[in-house]
Amino acid sequence: MTFDAERARKDFPILSRTVHGKPLVFLDSAASAQKPQPVIDAISHFYATDYANIHRGVYELSLRATEEVEGARRKVARFIGADPHEIVLVRNATEAINLVAATYGREHVREGDEVLITHMEHHANIVPWQRLCEERGAALRVAPIDDRGQLILEAFEALLTPRTRIAAVTHVSNALGSVNPIDEIVRLAHARGIPVLVDGAQAVPHGRVDVRELDCDFYAFSGHKLFGPSGIGVLYGKAAQLAAMPPYMGGGEMILSVSFEKTIYKEPPYRFEAGTPDIAGAVGLGAAIDYLEAQDLDAVAAHERALLAYASEALTLVPGLRLIGTAEHKASAISFVMDGVHPHDIGTILDREGIALRTGHHCAQPVMQRFGIPATARASLALYNTRADVDALVSGLHEVREVFA
Ligand SMILES: Cc1ncc(COP(=O)(O)O)c(C=O)c1O
């Protein structure tokens, strides 16, 4: 089955608006994806009919709201092949990673130990580990990438040592689009008894993810890149890992009992969910997953793969344009630079044409340093993008060329 992106576009009301008098061409879904009508409706319907705080009341609305949030947790679990008790609802991928660094990390990382990441990580999967290592007197090790932006697996393996306490690796690079061989990475790490956290922020919107198949210990992602609302994200943790971890934040809802002498904590996932969560955000995330599961996800992935190949080829033909990140396995993101044109100028000129794409370091400054550039322009694709979007981008880039000729 081929995926009908034109039909899918109709589900996303914002895609029919104009910007600067031109039809919107949205190519920045890696930063945040647009929202389909069912997600927008689910949130406003929830506020209009069922809203109350959760886990607190015995009254009808509170029970309904609780059931909606727990229903969303079950949907997330099913979507990635986990058990609902392994799903911690957090604000975003950043918080999910910080949670693991602050709990698992503080419990296990001691002076002289090592944490292994890769050179292609988003700052969200660098800074929490760096802070942990600084606090503990541990060393942050970085597995190198090659000139195409691919992880050098042998080097990664060589950096797994008896002092490595955890490896934290992105599934898909937001700056380069490279897809990492997570199953292989997990196999190598587990063979040495090292747990693996996967940053899945850029992977879940583009294909099936099954955490049991990957066998990773932790998997982090954000709702807003998955066509859901901002303010809600997910940490998956293997049940045994979560059960052995101390709380993250302290407060209401994460306790069984509190006295001034002693507090007894709840079991996971609630132990890690202090305070009132983003209740409507969870409902919206559940609706986003319903929306995705109603699509043929294999057909979506095939559509995006074909579009990525089409776009990569078309961009290469623009004079003076160089792709940054040409890994054999890529998803969604195409970064590029143009001779004699700063990426910000590319972004500004394209904006006048109604084309939204990202320029800058993409919260991956070490990637920019690796390629010796300050910034790139990045187009990123989602299920609602079409060849017409790519054609508009290419013609916009020719205009950029003319402006700077
Ligand atoms: C690979 C990757 N990891 C983590 C994040 C952080 O996501 P958030 O800002 O939603 O926490 C991003 C966001 O761009 C990302 O691309």
Side-chain angles (χ1 to χ4, degrees):
M1 274 287 286
T2 54
F3 180 69
D4 188 351
E6 284 298 347
R7 188 197 46 74
R9 291 179 72 78
K10 298 195 172 68
D11 296 332
F12 293 78
I14 206 169
L15 296 180
S16 56
R17 68 160 288 170
T18 55
V19 171
H20 304 310
K22 307 276 171 57
L24 170 64
V25 176
F26 191 73
L27 293 169
D28 195 22
S29 299
S32 199
Q34 297 298 349
K35 319 303 170 198
Q37 192 67 49
V39 169
I40 299 167
D41 289 347
I43 295 168
S44 76
H45 184 262
F46 176 69
Y47 275 128
T49 62
D50 287 339
Y51 181 76
N53 209 334
I54 59 165
H55 296 306
R56 289 177 193 199
V58 292
Y59 57 90
E60 176 68 9
L61 285 190
S62 180
L63 296 173
R64 287 174 76 107
T66 303
E67 177 45 32
E68 292 224 34
V69 170
E70 291 308 316
R73 192 193 306 278
R74 288 193 295 273
K75 285 174 193 174
V76 170
R78 197 185 53 225
F79 186 60
I80 61 168
D83 182 89
H85 288 94
E86 298 173 309
I87 301 299
V88 184
L89 296 175
V90 292
R91 277 188 303 147
N92 46 37
T94 301
E95 186 175 32
I97 298 166
N98 274 276
L99 191 162
V100 177
T103 58
Y104 184 93
R106 282 185 153 173
E107 196 83 346
H108 292 273
V109 176
R110 300 266 172 272
E111 192 172 348
D113 285 343
E114 295 169 5
V115 171
L116 178 58
I117 61 171
T118 82
H119 207 125
M120 70 173 85
E121 301 307 317
H122 185 281
H123 296 165
N125 204 25
I126 301 174
V127 184
W129 304 114
Q130 196 168 44
R131 294 183 68 214
L132 173 72
C133 289
E134 277 165 11
E135 180 190 300
R136 291 288 140 137
L140 186 67
R141 299 273 181 246
V142 183
I145 56 177
D146 66 18
D147 291 341
R148 294 176 68 182
Q150 304 173 123
L151 178 64
I152 303 172
L153 206 55
E154 307 76 56
F156 176 86
E157 183 175 11
L159 285 165
L160 293 166
T161 77
R163 302 311 305 253
T164 312
R165 293 291 162 259
I166 189 165
V169 178
T170 195
H171 198 164
V172 176
S173 155
N174 67 309
L176 299 165
S178 320
V179 180
N180 278 320
I182 295 298
D183 41 3
E184 183 69 4
I185 285 169
V186 170
R187 203 182 55 72
L188 293 172
H190 282 184
R192 295 158 177 84
I194 299 165
V196 178
L197 175 141
V198 180
D199 173 358
Q202 297 294 345
V204 280
H206 304 295
R208 285 181 188 287
V209 168
D210 186 315
V211 291
R212 292 263 186 276
E213 264 172 36
L214 293 176
D215 197 28
C216 54
D217 298 85
F218 302 101
Y219 198 94
F221 60 95
S222 299
H224 69 94
K225 296 184 199 283
L226 194 64
F227 314 103
S230 50
I232 188 85
V234 173
L235 171 68
Y236 155 79
K238 275 187 180 168
Q241 295 285 19
L242 292 181
M245 279 156 50
Y248 176 43
M249 293 194 289
E253 291 309 304
M254 47 78 77
I255 55 87
L256 283 175
S257 70
V258 177
S259 72
F260 290 125
E261 289 70 42
K262 187 171 175 58
T263 292
I264 308 205
Y265 307 121
K266 281 186 179 162
E267 293 295 310
Y270 306 107
R271 184 189 301 165
F272 304 105
E273 295 180 356
T276 301
D278 186 344
I279 303 169
V283 172
L285 176 59
I289 289 174
D290 284 342
Y291 178 80
L292 277 171
E293 288 193 326
Q295 318 297 321
D296 177 343
L297 289 181
D298 293 329
V300 168
H303 162 71
E304 287 189 23
R305 257 196 318 275
L307 198 56
L308 185 66
Y310 177 75
S312 304
E313 197 178 322
L315 288 184
T316 314
L317 297 177
V318 176
L321 186 149
R322 179 162 61 96
L323 296 185
I324 304 293
T326 53
E328 192 177 338
H329 297 292
K330 282 186 67 172
S332 174
I334 314 175
S335 265
F336 57 91
V337 290
M338 284 173 89
D339 287 347
V341 191
H342 193 279
H344 288 295
D345 293 327
I346 301 177
T348 307
I349 294 170
L350 291 179
D351 175 55
R352 290 200 318 235
E353 299 303 313
I355 302 168
L357 95 177
R358 190 65 153 215
T359 57
H361 53 64
H362 316 294
C363 297
Q365 286 183 344
V367 171
M368 302 299 125
Q369 289 149 13
R370 168 67 179 76
F371 287 91
I373 47 178
T376 73
R378 179 192 71 188
S380 55
L381 307 170
L383 54 83
Y384 40 62
N385 289 116
T386 62
R387 284 187 172 211
D389 293 330
V390 174
D391 295 343
L393 172 64
V394 170
S395 102
L397 290 172
H398 281 290
E399 205 179 302
V400 171
R401 263 278 61 94
E402 273 161 36
V403 172
F404 283 86

